[in-house]
Amino acid sequence: MSSGSDVDPVDAAEETIFTWGAPPLKFGAGAADEIGFDMAQFGAQRVLVLTDPGIAALGIPQRVAENMKRYGINAEVFDGVHIEPTDAAFETAVEYARARGPWDGFVAVGGGSAIDTAKAVNLLTSCSGELMDYVNKPIGRAEVPSKQLKPLVAVPTTAGTGAESTAMCVLDILSMKVKTGISHWRLRPALAVVDPLLTMTLPPEVTASAGMDIVCHAVESYTAKWYADSGRHRPEERVTYCGSNPVSDLWCERAMGLIAKSFRRAVHSGAEDVEARTDMMMAATFAGMGFGNAGVHIPHANGYPIAGMVKEYRPAGYPQDEPMVPHGQSVSLTAPEAFRFSFPSAPERHLRAAEMLAPQTEMLPDPVEQLPHVLVDLMRDIGIPNGIGAVGYGESDVPDLVPGTMKQQRLLSTCPRPVGEEEIERILLRSVQNW
Ligand SMILES: [Zn+2]
């Protein structure tokens, strides 16, 4: 059998191929009440529903479990998901699932934390090995799942992470004080069930933070290194995040248009405004379909240490029992400065993003400032903290944050401009205060 490696019909120096994947989608008001039907289509008889205590208190996971029982499915609820999960939290969920398994399928009900925990549980109950075997290099061993996982139905309850579309999960490694992830296409949910009615009661602060995550997903993907600007990959080396490409661009553009239309409304009058909530849910889903294939870059890479090294910050609208920087805040706080830095690599894309996010904004004399200006204007309007200074970091903390960003090489490699320690340090220093 030929390895195929010695016969290459195209120029081996340049990438000519991009990939794009997304789960099937069921979208709309009431979709969450059809999961019994959907799970039955996968032939599942024993299903574990994973959620966090806050969502469990709203009764949503129990409602989903009851619905599955009507289709003859034996469903059990695990409500021990930890918000911004750690390796220890993942392991607790995995131990629970392994002890009470085997399962034919999983349903994740919640934000990114619940969906990511369910991805890890699905991986570690379907395949052998331990968590660190699969965590991204250099922190873990980045092993590849050996087989198809069980069907996972992801039901987001916030409009933000896009975790229902993506093939990765994020976690904090406690002993190293670092946030990292597992990424492989097999982790992608088998079905995304997106029901805007589940987001009606989200507090404004959560709506704002999660919405900034959508903004960053869309703009980072849209400005990510173009897929053909990477060296050619062999099929076995081809990564989930291939850089911006014609298909991910479409989704990101549509997401930005929905943000422009409905983000401020969803924050300020979301409790009554079903249309604004629906637009934000759709924006999150679309941006997930974009960044889940293109990848994100500096703002998300900085978000890892900003969230991972939190000191005393306790944001309004979130559980107050421990300090945390919500994901959407952590990734957006350095975004204005990061996009000043990445501007020269693709000026027209930065300007186009600014125009889609805020079509009415006048052109500034300096084009570099257009996108940062639009982002700062939005962040001020919806109550996002003013820079990393407002979540507890001063200039003297910046040298400690830099290594945490540099560890995110998988993300930094998607940056359209080469970026090293000095550049990251400058971006963080200039993000202590954004306005
Ligand atoms: Zn994100």
Side-chain angles (χ1 to χ4, degrees):
M1 199 177 102
S2 159
S3 71
S5 57
D6 35 353
V7 186
D8 202 339
V10 288
D11 177 1
E14 216 172 76
E15 185 57 276
T16 56
I17 294 169
F18 69 88
T19 55
W20 188 84
L25 170 68
K26 181 174 265 201
F27 185 100
D33 292 316
E34 299 188 359
I35 288 170
F37 171 82
D38 295 312
M39 243 328 165
Q41 305 312 299
F42 292 115
Q45 296 185 330
R46 263 199 102 224
V47 171
L48 183 62
V49 180
L50 294 107
T51 193
D52 67 71
I55 298 295
L58 300 175
I60 303 167
Q62 294 82 346
R63 210 172 84 205
V64 166
E66 282 306 313
N67 185 269
M68 283 193 275
K69 282 177 193 156
R70 263 182 263 147
Y71 288 82
I73 297 168
N74 181 354
E76 198 176 307
V77 177
F78 170 78
D79 66 2
V81 167
H82 195 274
I83 303 293
E84 305 286 329
T86 60
D87 46 351
F90 270 16
E91 271 156 8
T92 304
V94 169
E95 272 166 33
Y96 179 95
R98 279 181 171 170
R100 300 180 72 102
W103 306 96
D104 305 319
F106 300 92
V107 178
V109 183
S113 305
I115 297 171
D116 282 2
T117 303
K119 287 173 184 169
V121 165
N122 193 7
L123 170 63
L124 290 164
T125 53
S126 302
C127 301
S128 57
E130 296 308 317
L131 188 59
M132 291 306 279
D133 294 337
Y134 296 100
V135 165
N136 291 332
K137 283 180 181 166
I139 294 153
R141 288 178 282 280
E143 281 177 21
V144 170
S146 55
K147 55 178 173 231
Q148 189 68 46
L149 310 190
K150 298 279 162 53
L152 164 62
V153 175
V155 189
T157 55
T158 55
T161 66
E164 69 282 0
S165 303
T166 66
M168 76 167 304
C169 59
V170 178
L171 72 158
D172 282 307
I173 307 289
L174 281 176
S175 60
M176 298 175 165
K177 282 204 131 202
V178 64
K179 231 181 217 300
T180 179
I182 305 174
S183 54
H184 188 269
W185 60 268
R186 287 199 198 273
L187 260 56
R188 207 185 293 281
L191 175 69
V193 173
V194 182
D195 186 340
L197 296 185
L198 301 182
T199 66
M200 295 305 291
T201 58
L202 285 181
E205 297 88 351
V206 177
T207 307
S209 171
M212 283 311 299
D213 193 24
I214 310 176
V215 171
C216 288
H217 291 157
V219 182
E220 287 176 56
S221 290
Y222 197 62
T223 56
K225 183 151 100 181
W226 185 248
Y227 76 96
D229 292 342
S230 295
R232 177 120 178 135
H233 294 86
R234 299 195 175 286
E236 61 275 20
E237 293 165 344
R238 196 156 272 124
V239 288
T240 318
Y241 300 101
C242 61
S244 57
N245 61 74
V247 181
S248 66
D249 279 357
L250 290 176
W251 297 104
C252 294
E253 287 172 4
R254 293 305 295 265
M256 288 188 262
L258 290 162
I259 294 275
K261 179 175 164 231
S262 295
F263 191 3
R264 285 171 171 85
R265 258 169 55 205
V267 172
H268 295 129
S269 56
E272 306 86 57
D273 198 333
V274 178
E275 188 192 63
R277 293 292 194 186
T278 302
D279 285 349
M280 291 304 286
M281 253 336 204
M282 204 171 287
T285 306
F286 285 8
M289 290 177 174
F291 96 89
N293 294 279
V296 283
H297 58 94
I298 299 174
H300 264 73
N302 284 338
Y304 281 71
I306 292 169
M309 297 174 70
V310 61
K311 298 182 205 173
E312 286 308 316
Y313 179 65
R314 285 178 168 78
Y318 286 84
Q320 296 294 306
D321 43 337
E322 48 193 68
M324 68 176 290
V325 183
H327 175 71
Q329 292 187 10
S330 70
V331 298
S332 58
L333 297 176
T334 64
E337 190 58 36
F339 293 125
R340 277 188 192 100
F341 171 78
S342 59
F343 181 86
S345 60
E348 64 303 329
R349 281 183 175 258
H350 288 69
L351 289 171
R352 180 92 182 99
E355 192 193 339
M356 284 184 288
L357 286 171
Q360 315 300 342
T361 306
E362 277 176 38
M363 276 302 292
L364 300 177
D366 181 359
V368 178
E369 291 301 318
Q370 195 70 21
L371 182 55
H373 169 72
V374 162
L375 292 175
V376 163
D377 201 41
L378 175 62
M379 288 156 79
R380 292 176 78 146
D381 281 359
I382 59 172
I384 294 293
N386 181 5
I388 60 172
V391 301
Y393 299 106
E395 286 185 7
S396 60
D397 297 308
V398 166
D400 296 333
L401 292 169
V402 173
T405 301
M406 295 311 296
K407 283 195 188 110
Q408 309 306 322
Q409 282 303 320
R410 194 180 53 81
L411 304 190
L412 294 177
S413 67
T414 323
C415 179
R417 245 183 108 176
V419 56
E421 271 177 41
E422 256 171 60
E423 290 82 9
I424 292 298
E425 183 166 4
R426 198 173 323 126
I427 290 167
L428 286 163
L429 281 172
R430 290 181 180 170
S431 303
V432 171
Q433 208 176 328
N434 282 330
W435 59 82

